[in-house]
Coordinates of all heavy atoms in Angstrom, one line a residue:
M823 N -26.3 -22.9 34.5 CA -27.3 -22.9 35.5 C -27.7 -24.4 35.8 O -28.0 -25.1 34.9 CB -28.5 -22.1 35.1 CG -29.5 -22.0 36.1 SD -30.8 -20.8 35.5 CE -32.1 -21.4 36.5
I824 N -27.8 -24.7 37.1 CA -28.1 -26.0 37.5 C -29.6 -26.2 37.4 O -30.4 -25.4 37.9 CB -27.7 -26.3 39.0 CG1 -26.2 -26.2 39.1 CG2 -28.2 -27.7 39.4 CD1 -25.6 -26.1 40.5
A825 N -30.0 -27.2 36.6 CA -31.4 -27.5 36.4 C -31.9 -28.8 37.1 O -33.1 -29.0 37.3 CB -31.7 -27.6 34.9
K826 N -30.9 -29.6 37.4 CA -31.3 -30.9 38.0 C -30.1 -31.5 38.8 O -28.9 -31.2 38.5 CB -31.6 -31.9 36.8 CG -32.0 -33.2 37.2 CD -32.3 -34.0 35.9 CE -32.5 -35.5 36.2 NZ -32.5 -36.3 35.0
I827 N -30.4 -32.2 39.8 CA -29.4 -32.9 40.6 C -29.7 -34.4 40.6 O -30.9 -34.8 40.6 CB -29.2 -32.4 42.0 CG1 -30.5 -32.4 42.8 CG2 -28.6 -31.0 42.0 CD1 -30.4 -32.0 44.2
E828 N -28.7 -35.2 40.6 CA -28.8 -36.6 40.7 C -27.9 -37.2 41.8 O -26.8 -36.7 41.9 CB -28.5 -37.3 39.4 CG -29.6 -37.1 38.3 CD -29.3 -37.8 37.0 OE1 -28.2 -38.4 36.9 OE2 -30.2 -37.8 36.1
V829 N -28.3 -38.2 42.5 CA -27.5 -38.8 43.5 C -27.3 -40.3 43.0 O -28.3 -41.0 42.7 CB -28.1 -38.8 44.9 CG1 -27.3 -39.6 45.9 CG2 -28.3 -37.4 45.4
D830 N -26.0 -40.7 42.9 CA -25.7 -42.1 42.6 C -25.8 -42.9 43.9 O -24.8 -42.9 44.6 CB -24.4 -42.1 41.9 CG -24.0 -43.5 41.5 OD1 -24.9 -44.2 40.8 OD2 -22.9 -44.0 41.8
I831 N -26.9 -43.5 44.1 CA -27.1 -44.2 45.4 C -26.1 -45.3 45.6 O -25.6 -45.5 46.7 CB -28.6 -44.7 45.5 CG1 -29.4 -43.5 45.7 CG2 -28.7 -45.7 46.6 CD1 -30.9 -43.7 45.9
P832 N -25.7 -46.1 44.6 CA -24.7 -47.2 44.9 C -23.4 -46.7 45.5 O -22.8 -47.4 46.3 CB -24.5 -47.9 43.6 CG -25.8 -47.7 42.8 CD -26.2 -46.3 43.3
T833 N -22.9 -45.5 45.0 CA -21.7 -45.0 45.5 C -21.8 -44.1 46.8 O -20.8 -43.8 47.4 CB -20.9 -44.2 44.4 OG1 -21.7 -43.1 44.0 CG2 -20.6 -45.1 43.2
C834 N -23.0 -43.7 47.1 CA -23.2 -42.9 48.3 C -22.9 -43.7 49.5 O -23.3 -44.8 49.7 CB -24.7 -42.4 48.3 SG -25.2 -41.7 49.9
I835 N -22.1 -43.1 50.4 CA -21.7 -43.8 51.6 C -22.6 -43.4 52.8 O -22.3 -43.8 53.9 CB -20.2 -43.6 52.0 CG1 -19.9 -42.1 52.2 CG2 -19.3 -44.2 50.9 CD1 -18.5 -41.9 52.8
G836 N -23.6 -42.6 52.6 CA -24.5 -42.2 53.6 C -23.9 -41.3 54.7 O -24.4 -41.4 55.8
C837 N -22.9 -40.5 54.4 CA -22.3 -39.7 55.4 C -23.2 -38.6 56.0 O -23.0 -38.1 57.0 CB -21.0 -39.1 54.9 SG -21.3 -37.8 53.6
G838 N -24.2 -38.2 55.2 CA -25.2 -37.2 55.6 C -24.8 -35.8 55.4 O -25.6 -34.9 55.7
T839 N -23.6 -35.5 54.9 CA -23.2 -34.2 54.6 C -24.2 -33.4 53.8 O -24.6 -32.3 54.1 CB -21.8 -34.1 54.0 OG1 -20.9 -34.8 54.8 CG2 -21.3 -32.7 53.7
C840 N -24.7 -34.0 52.7 CA -25.5 -33.2 51.8 C -26.9 -32.9 52.4 O -27.4 -31.8 52.3 CB -25.7 -34.0 50.5 SG -26.3 -35.6 50.6
W841 N -27.5 -33.9 53.0 CA -28.9 -33.6 53.5 C -28.9 -32.7 54.7 O -29.8 -32.0 55.0 CB -29.7 -34.9 53.7 CG -29.3 -35.8 54.8 CD1 -29.4 -35.6 56.1 CD2 -28.8 -37.2 54.6 NE1 -29.0 -36.8 56.8 CE2 -28.6 -37.7 55.9 CE3 -28.5 -37.9 53.5 CZ2 -28.1 -39.0 56.1 CZ3 -28.0 -39.2 53.7 CH2 -27.8 -39.7 55.0
V842 N -27.7 -32.7 55.5 CA -27.6 -31.7 56.6 C -27.3 -30.3 56.0 O -27.9 -29.3 56.5 CB -26.5 -32.2 57.6 CG1 -26.2 -31.1 58.6 CG2 -26.9 -33.4 58.3
A843 N -26.4 -30.2 55.1 CA -26.0 -28.9 54.5 C -27.1 -28.3 53.6 O -27.2 -27.1 53.6 CB -24.7 -29.1 53.7
C844 N -27.9 -29.1 53.0 CA -28.8 -28.6 52.0 C -30.1 -29.5 52.0 O -30.4 -30.2 51.0 CB -28.1 -28.6 50.6 SG -29.0 -27.7 49.3
P845 N -30.9 -29.4 53.0 CA -32.1 -30.2 53.1 C -33.2 -29.9 52.1 O -34.1 -30.8 51.9 CB -32.6 -30.0 54.6 CG -32.0 -28.6 54.9 CD -30.7 -28.5 54.2
D846 N -33.1 -28.8 51.5 CA -34.1 -28.5 50.4 C -33.9 -29.5 49.2 O -34.9 -29.9 48.6 CB -34.0 -27.1 49.9 CG -34.5 -26.1 50.9 OD1 -35.3 -26.5 51.8 OD2 -34.2 -24.9 50.8
A847 N -32.7 -29.8 49.0 CA -32.4 -30.6 47.7 C -32.1 -32.0 48.0 O -32.2 -32.9 47.1 CB -31.2 -29.9 47.0
F848 N -31.7 -32.4 49.2 CA -31.3 -33.7 49.5 C -32.1 -34.3 50.8 O -32.4 -33.5 51.7 CB -29.8 -33.8 49.8 CG -29.0 -33.3 48.7 CD1 -28.5 -32.0 48.6 CD2 -28.7 -34.2 47.6 CE1 -27.8 -31.6 47.6 CE2 -27.9 -33.7 46.5 CZ -27.5 -32.4 46.5
R849 N -32.3 -35.5 50.7 CA -33.0 -36.2 51.9 C -32.3 -37.5 52.1 O -31.6 -38.1 51.3 CB -34.5 -36.3 51.6 CG -34.8 -37.3 50.5 CD -36.3 -37.2 50.1 NE -36.5 -38.0 48.9 CZ -36.9 -39.2 48.9 NH1 -37.1 -39.9 50.1 NH2 -37.1 -39.9 47.8
E850 N -32.6 -38.0 53.3 CA -32.1 -39.3 53.8 C -33.1 -40.4 53.4 O -34.3 -40.2 53.6 CB -31.9 -39.2 55.3 CG -31.4 -40.3 56.0 CD -31.3 -40.0 57.5 OE1 -31.9 -39.0 58.0 OE2 -30.7 -40.9 58.2
V851 N -32.6 -41.5 52.8 CA -33.6 -42.6 52.5 C -32.9 -43.9 53.1 O -31.7 -44.0 53.1 CB -33.8 -42.7 51.0 CG1 -34.6 -41.6 50.5 CG2 -32.5 -42.9 50.2
E852 N -33.8 -44.8 53.5 CA -33.3 -46.1 54.0 C -33.3 -47.0 52.8 O -34.2 -47.2 52.1 CB -34.3 -46.6 55.1 CG -33.7 -47.6 56.0 CD -34.6 -47.9 57.2 OE1 -35.6 -47.1 57.4 OE2 -34.4 -48.9 57.8
V853 N -32.1 -47.6 52.7 CA -31.9 -48.6 51.6 C -31.4 -49.9 52.3 O -30.2 -49.9 52.7 CB -30.9 -48.1 50.5 CG1 -30.7 -49.1 49.4 CG2 -31.3 -46.7 49.9
G854 N -32.2 -50.8 52.4 CA -31.8 -52.0 53.2 C -31.5 -51.6 54.6 O -32.4 -51.0 55.3
E855 N -30.3 -51.9 55.1 CA -30.0 -51.6 56.4 C -29.1 -50.3 56.5 O -28.5 -50.0 57.5 CB -29.2 -52.8 57.1 CG -30.1 -54.0 57.2 CD -29.4 -55.1 57.9 OE1 -28.2 -55.0 58.3 OE2 -30.0 -56.2 58.0
E856 N -29.0 -49.6 55.4 CA -28.2 -48.4 55.3 C -29.0 -47.2 55.1 O -30.2 -47.3 54.6 CB -27.2 -48.5 54.2 CG -26.2 -49.7 54.3 CD -25.3 -49.7 53.1 OE1 -25.7 -50.2 52.0 OE2 -24.2 -49.2 53.2
Y857 N -28.4 -46.0 55.3 CA -29.1 -44.8 55.0 C -28.2 -44.2 53.8 O -27.0 -44.2 53.9 CB -29.1 -43.8 56.1 CG -30.2 -44.2 57.1 CD1 -29.9 -45.0 58.2 CD2 -31.5 -43.9 56.9 CE1 -30.8 -45.4 59.1 CE2 -32.5 -44.3 57.8 CZ -32.2 -45.1 58.9 OH -33.1 -45.5 59.7
K858 N -28.9 -43.7 52.8 CA -28.3 -43.1 51.7 C -29.0 -41.8 51.4 O -30.0 -41.4 52.0 CB -28.5 -44.0 50.4 CG -27.9 -45.4 50.6 CD -26.5 -45.5 50.3 CE -26.0 -46.9 50.2 NZ -24.8 -47.1 49.5
A859 N -28.4 -41.0 50.5 CA -29.0 -39.7 50.1 C -29.8 -39.9 48.8 O -29.5 -40.8 48.0 CB -27.9 -38.7 49.8
A860 N -30.8 -39.1 48.7 CA -31.6 -39.0 47.5 C -31.9 -37.5 47.2 O -31.9 -36.7 48.1 CB -32.9 -39.8 47.6
A861 N -32.2 -37.2 46.0 CA -32.6 -35.9 45.6 C -34.1 -35.7 46.0 O -34.9 -36.6 45.9 CB -32.5 -35.6 44.1
T862 N -34.4 -34.5 46.6 CA -35.8 -34.3 46.9 C -36.7 -34.0 45.7 O -37.9 -34.0 45.8 CB -35.9 -33.1 47.9 OG1 -35.4 -31.9 47.2 CG2 -35.2 -33.4 49.2
G863 N -36.0 -33.6 44.6 CA -36.7 -33.1 43.4 C -36.8 -31.6 43.4 O -37.3 -31.0 42.5
R864 N -36.4 -31.0 44.5 CA -36.4 -29.5 44.6 C -35.0 -29.0 44.4 O -34.0 -29.7 44.7 CB -37.0 -29.0 45.9 CG -38.4 -29.4 46.2 CD -38.9 -28.7 47.4 NE -38.1 -28.9 48.6 CZ -38.2 -29.9 49.5 NH1 -39.1 -30.8 49.3 NH2 -37.4 -30.0 50.5
L865 N -34.8 -27.8 44.0 CA -33.5 -27.2 43.9 C -33.3 -26.2 45.0 O -34.2 -26.0 45.8 CB -33.3 -26.5 42.5 CG -33.3 -27.4 41.3 CD1 -33.3 -26.5 40.0 CD2 -32.2 -28.4 41.3
A866 N -32.1 -25.8 45.2 CA -31.7 -24.8 46.2 C -30.8 -23.8 45.5 O -30.5 -24.0 44.3 CB -31.0 -25.5 47.3
P867 N -30.4 -22.7 46.2 CA -29.5 -21.8 45.5 C -28.3 -22.5 45.0 O -27.8 -23.5 45.6 CB -29.1 -20.8 46.7 CG -30.4 -20.8 47.5 CD -30.8 -22.2 47.5
E868 N -27.8 -22.0 43.9 CA -26.7 -22.7 43.2 C -25.5 -22.9 44.1 O -24.8 -24.0 44.1 CB -26.3 -22.0 41.9 CG -25.1 -22.6 41.2 CD -25.1 -22.4 39.7 OE1 -26.2 -22.1 39.1 OE2 -24.1 -22.6 39.1
K869 N -25.1 -21.9 44.9 CA -24.0 -22.1 45.8 C -24.2 -23.2 46.8 O -23.2 -24.0 47.1 CB -23.7 -20.7 46.5 CG -22.5 -20.8 47.4 CD -21.9 -19.4 47.6 CE -20.6 -19.3 48.4 NZ -19.6 -20.1 47.8
A870 N -25.4 -23.3 47.3 CA -25.7 -24.4 48.3 C -25.6 -25.8 47.6 O -25.0 -26.8 48.1 CB -27.1 -24.3 48.9
L871 N -26.0 -25.9 46.3 CA -25.9 -27.1 45.6 C -24.5 -27.5 45.3 O -24.0 -28.6 45.4 CB -26.7 -27.1 44.3 CG -28.2 -26.9 44.4 CD1 -28.9 -26.7 43.1 CD2 -28.8 -28.1 45.2
R872 N -23.7 -26.5 44.9 CA -22.3 -26.7 44.6 C -21.5 -27.1 45.9 O -20.7 -28.0 45.8 CB -21.6 -25.4 44.0 CG -22.0 -25.3 42.5 CD -21.0 -24.4 41.8 NE -21.3 -24.5 40.4 CZ -20.7 -25.3 39.6 NH1 -19.9 -26.2 40.0 NH2 -21.0 -25.3 38.3
N873 N -21.8 -26.4 47.0 CA -21.1 -26.8 48.2 C -21.5 -28.2 48.6 O -20.6 -29.0 49.0 CB -21.5 -25.8 49.3 CG -20.9 -24.5 49.2 OD1 -19.9 -24.3 48.5 ND2 -21.4 -23.5 49.9
A874 N -22.7 -28.6 48.4 CA -23.1 -30.0 48.8 C -22.4 -31.0 47.9 O -21.8 -32.0 48.3 CB -24.6 -30.2 48.7
A875 N -22.4 -30.7 46.6 CA -21.8 -31.7 45.6 C -20.3 -31.7 45.8 O -19.7 -32.8 45.8 CB -22.1 -31.2 44.2
E876 N -19.6 -30.6 46.0 CA -18.2 -30.6 46.2 C -17.8 -31.1 47.6 O -16.7 -31.6 47.7 CB -17.7 -29.1 46.0 CG -17.8 -28.7 44.6 CD -17.5 -27.2 44.4 OE1 -17.1 -26.5 45.3 OE2 -17.7 -26.8 43.2
G877 N -18.7 -31.2 48.5 CA -18.4 -31.7 49.8 C -18.7 -33.2 49.9 O -18.4 -33.9 50.9
C878 N -19.2 -33.8 48.8 CA -19.5 -35.2 48.8 C -18.2 -36.0 48.6 O -17.5 -35.9 47.6 CB -20.5 -35.6 47.7 SG -20.7 -37.4 47.6
P879 N -17.8 -36.9 49.6 CA -16.5 -37.5 49.5 C -16.5 -38.6 48.4 O -15.4 -39.0 48.0 CB -16.4 -38.2 50.9 CG -17.8 -38.3 51.4 CD -18.5 -37.2 50.9
S880 N -17.6 -39.1 48.0 CA -17.6 -40.1 46.9 C -18.0 -39.6 45.6 O -18.3 -40.4 44.7 CB -18.5 -41.3 47.4 OG -19.8 -40.8 47.7
L881 N -18.1 -38.3 45.4 CA -18.6 -37.7 44.1 C -19.9 -38.3 43.6 O -20.0 -38.5 42.4 CB -17.5 -37.8 43.1 CG -16.1 -37.1 43.4 CD1 -15.2 -37.3 42.2 CD2 -16.3 -35.6 43.7
S882 N -20.8 -38.5 44.6 CA -22.0 -39.2 44.2 C -23.1 -38.2 43.7 O -24.1 -38.7 43.2 CB -22.6 -40.0 45.4 OG -21.6 -40.9 45.8
I883 N -22.8 -36.9 43.8 CA -23.8 -35.9 43.5 C -23.4 -35.3 42.1 O -22.3 -34.8 42.0 CB -23.9 -34.8 44.5 CG1 -24.4 -35.4 45.9 CG2 -24.9 -33.7 44.1 CD1 -24.3 -34.5 47.0
S884 N -24.3 -35.4 41.2 CA -24.1 -34.8 39.9 C -25.0 -33.6 39.7 O -26.2 -33.6 40.1 CB -24.4 -35.7 38.7 OG -23.5 -36.8 38.7
L885 N -24.4 -32.5 39.3 CA -25.1 -31.2 39.0 C -25.2 -31.1 37.5 O -24.2 -31.2 36.8 CB -24.3 -30.0 39.5 CG -24.0 -30.1 41.0 CD1 -23.2 -28.9 41.4 CD2 -25.2 -30.2 41.9
I886 N -26.5 -31.0 37.0 CA -26.8 -31.1 35.6 C -27.4 -29.8 35.1 O -28.3 -29.3 35.8 CB -27.7 -32.3 35.4 CG1 -26.9 -33.6 35.8 CG2 -28.1 -32.5 33.9 CD1 -27.8 -34.8 36.0
D887 N -27.0 -29.3 33.9 CA -27.7 -28.1 33.4 C -28.9 -28.4 32.6 O -29.2 -29.6 32.4 CB -26.7 -27.2 32.7 CG -26.2 -27.7 31.3 OD1 -26.9 -28.7 30.8 OD2 -25.3 -27.2 30.8
D888 N -29.5 -27.4 32.1 CA -30.8 -27.7 31.4 C -30.6 -28.3 30.0 O -31.6 -28.8 29.4 CB -31.6 -26.4 31.3 CG -30.8 -25.2 30.7 OD1 -29.7 -25.4 30.2 OD2 -31.4 -24.1 30.7
S889 N -29.4 -28.4 29.5 CA -29.1 -29.2 28.3 C -28.8 -30.6 28.6 O -28.6 -31.4 27.6 CB -28.0 -28.5 27.5 OG -26.7 -28.8 28.1
G890 N -28.7 -31.0 29.8 CA -28.4 -32.4 30.2 C -26.9 -32.6 30.5 O -26.5 -33.7 30.8
A891 N -26.1 -31.5 30.3 CA -24.6 -31.7 30.5 C -24.4 -31.7 32.0 O -25.0 -31.0 32.8 CB -23.9 -30.5 29.9
V892 N -23.4 -32.6 32.4 CA -23.0 -32.7 33.8 C -22.0 -31.6 34.1 O -20.9 -31.6 33.5 CB -22.4 -34.1 34.1 CG1 -21.9 -34.1 35.6 CG2 -23.5 -35.2 33.9
L893 N -22.3 -30.7 35.0 CA -21.5 -29.6 35.3 C -20.4 -30.0 36.4 O -19.3 -29.4 36.4 CB -22.3 -28.4 35.9 CG -23.4 -27.9 34.9 CD1 -24.2 -26.9 35.7 CD2 -22.7 -27.2 33.7
Y894 N -20.8 -30.9 37.2 CA -20.0 -31.4 38.3 C -20.4 -32.8 38.7 O -21.6 -33.0 38.8 CB -20.0 -30.4 39.5 CG -19.1 -30.9 40.6 CD1 -17.8 -30.5 40.7 CD2 -19.6 -31.8 41.6 CE1 -17.0 -30.9 41.7 CE2 -18.7 -32.3 42.6 CZ -17.4 -31.8 42.6 OH -16.6 -32.3 43.6
P895 N -19.6 -33.7 39.0 CA -18.1 -33.6 38.8 C -17.8 -33.9 37.3 O -18.5 -34.5 36.6 CB -17.6 -34.8 39.7 CG -18.7 -35.8 39.7 CD -20.0 -35.0 39.6
T896 N -16.6 -33.4 37.0 CA -16.1 -33.7 35.6 C -15.6 -35.2 35.6 O -15.3 -35.8 36.6 CB -14.9 -32.8 35.3 OG1 -13.8 -33.1 36.2 CG2 -15.3 -31.3 35.4
E897 N -15.4 -35.6 34.4 CA -14.9 -37.0 34.2 C -13.5 -37.1 34.8 O -13.1 -38.1 35.3 CB -15.0 -37.4 32.7 CG -14.7 -38.9 32.5 CD -15.6 -39.8 33.4 OE1 -16.8 -39.6 33.6 OE2 -15.0 -40.8 34.0
A898 N -12.7 -36.0 34.7 CA -11.4 -36.0 35.2 C -11.4 -36.2 36.8 O -10.6 -36.9 37.4 CB -10.6 -34.8 34.8
Q899 N -12.4 -35.5 37.4 CA -12.5 -35.6 38.9 C -12.9 -37.1 39.2 O -12.4 -37.6 40.2 CB -13.5 -34.6 39.4 CG -13.0 -33.2 39.3 CD -14.0 -32.1 39.5 OE1 -15.1 -32.2 39.0 NE2 -13.7 -31.1 40.2
R900 N -13.8 -37.7 38.5 CA -14.2 -39.0 38.8 C -13.0 -40.0 38.6 O -12.8 -40.9 39.4 CB -15.4 -39.5 37.8 CG -16.7 -38.9 38.2 CD -17.8 -39.6 37.4 NE -19.0 -38.9 37.4 CZ -19.9 -38.9 38.4 NH1 -19.7 -39.6 39.5 NH2 -21.0 -38.2 38.3
E901 N -12.2 -39.8 37.5 CA -11.1 -40.6 37.3 C -10.1 -40.5 38.4 O -9.5 -41.5 38.9 CB -10.4 -40.2 36.0 CG -9.3 -41.1 35.5 CD -9.6 -42.6 35.5 OE1 -10.8 -43.0 35.2 OE2 -8.7 -43.4 35.7
E902 N -9.9 -39.2 38.9 CA -8.9 -39.0 40.0 C -9.4 -39.8 41.3 O -8.6 -40.4 42.0 CB -8.9 -37.5 40.3 CG -8.0 -37.1 41.5 CD -6.5 -37.5 41.3 OE1 -6.0 -37.6 40.1 OE2 -5.9 -37.8 42.3
L903 N -10.7 -39.7 41.5 CA -11.2 -40.5 42.7 C -11.0 -42.0 42.5 O -10.6 -42.7 43.5 CB -12.7 -40.2 42.9 CG -13.4 -40.9 44.1 CD1 -12.8 -40.5 45.4 CD2 -14.9 -40.7 44.1
R904 N -11.3 -42.5 41.3 CA -11.1 -43.9 41.1 C -9.6 -44.3 41.3 O -9.4 -45.3 41.9 CB -11.5 -44.3 39.6 CG -12.9 -44.4 39.4 CD -13.3 -45.1 38.0 NE -13.1 -44.1 36.9 CZ -14.1 -43.4 36.5 NH1 -15.3 -43.4 37.0 NH2 -13.9 -42.6 35.5
K905 N -8.7 -43.5 40.9 CA -7.3 -43.7 41.1 C -7.0 -43.8 42.6 O -6.2 -44.6 43.1 CB -6.4 -42.7 40.5 CG -6.3 -42.9 39.0 CD -5.3 -41.9 38.4 CE -5.4 -41.9 36.9 NZ -4.8 -40.7 36.3
R906 N -7.5 -42.8 43.4 CA -7.2 -42.7 44.8 C -7.8 -43.9 45.5 O -7.3 -44.3 46.6 CB -7.8 -41.4 45.4 CG -6.9 -40.2 45.2 CD -7.4 -39.0 46.0 NE -8.4 -38.3 45.3 CZ -9.5 -37.8 45.8 NH1 -9.8 -37.9 47.1 NH2 -10.4 -37.1 45.1
L907 N -8.9 -44.5 45.0 CA -9.5 -45.6 45.7 C -8.8 -46.9 45.4 O -9.1 -47.9 46.0 CB -11.0 -45.7 45.3 CG -11.8 -44.6 45.8 CD1 -13.2 -44.7 45.3 CD2 -11.8 -44.5 47.3
Q908 N -7.8 -46.9 44.4 CA -7.1 -48.1 44.1 C -5.8 -48.2 44.8 O -4.7 -48.1 44.2 CB -6.9 -48.2 42.6 CG -8.2 -48.4 41.8 CD -8.0 -48.3 40.3 OE1 -6.9 -47.9 39.9 NE2 -9.0 -48.5 39.6
W909 N -5.8 -48.3 46.1 CA -4.5 -48.4 46.8 C -4.4 -49.7 47.5 O -5.2 -50.5 47.6 CB -4.3 -47.2 47.7 CG -5.5 -47.0 48.7 CD1 -6.6 -46.4 48.4 CD2 -5.5 -47.4 50.0 NE1 -7.4 -46.4 49.5 CE2 -6.8 -47.0 50.5 CE3 -4.7 -48.1 50.9 CZ2 -7.2 -47.2 51.8 CZ3 -5.1 -48.3 52.2 CH2 -6.3 -47.9 52.6
Ligands
LIG1036 S1 -22.5 -36.2 50.8 FE1 -22.4 -37.8 49.2 S2 -21.8 -39.7 50.3 FE2 -22.6 -38.2 51.8 S3 -24.8 -38.7 52.0 FE3 -24.6 -37.1 50.4 S4 -24.4 -38.2 48.5 FE4 -24.0 -39.7 50.1

């Protein structure tokens, strides 16, 4: 069960997918001259959170359970993204 979400602001590209798809859990914040995503501190239905996280092109959204374990993305998924970005 998802207990917490975190957004890695440095890797967020500000595409807006998460805050449009799930405004209960994500919001837009101005960071310098860019817009990035941030967690609102509220949760949403698990399916909506998963859809938002899985739709993030930079894997910047972490879904965390109540024990602190990261449910998504896995380290293998992060490694795959790192490999894809090294072209
Ligand atoms: S979907 Fe990902 S990259 Fe796009 S705004 Fe949200 S956290 Fe940033």
Side-chain angles (χ1 to χ4, degrees):
M823 183 174 157
I824 298 167
K826 184 179 168 190
I827 53 176
E828 288 181 353
V829 177
D830 183 48
I831 289 182
T833 60
C834 168
I835 60 170
C837 70
T839 301
C840 59
W841 67 71
V842 169
C844 190
D846 285 342
F848 301 96
R849 64 189 172 95
E850 183 180 9
V851 292
E852 201 170 346
V853 179
E855 296 181 4
E856 297 178 283
Y857 287 95
K858 302 274 190 162
T862 62
R864 299 188 307 271
L865 293 177
E868 180 149 340
K869 184 153 182 60
L871 295 175
R872 282 204 171 267
N873 285 343
E876 290 170 7
C878 175
S880 53
L881 298 182
S882 301
I883 298 169
S884 295
L885 305 177
I886 300 164
D887 73 10
D888 52 8
S889 72
V892 177
L893 302 172
Y894 181 91
T896 63
E897 192 47 48
Q899 288 167 319
R900 286 194 196 278
E901 184 57 31
E902 178 61 31
L903 178 63
R904 280 192 284 270
K905 282 183 191 163
R906 276 191 276 139
L907 294 176
Q908 292 172 354
W909 53 280

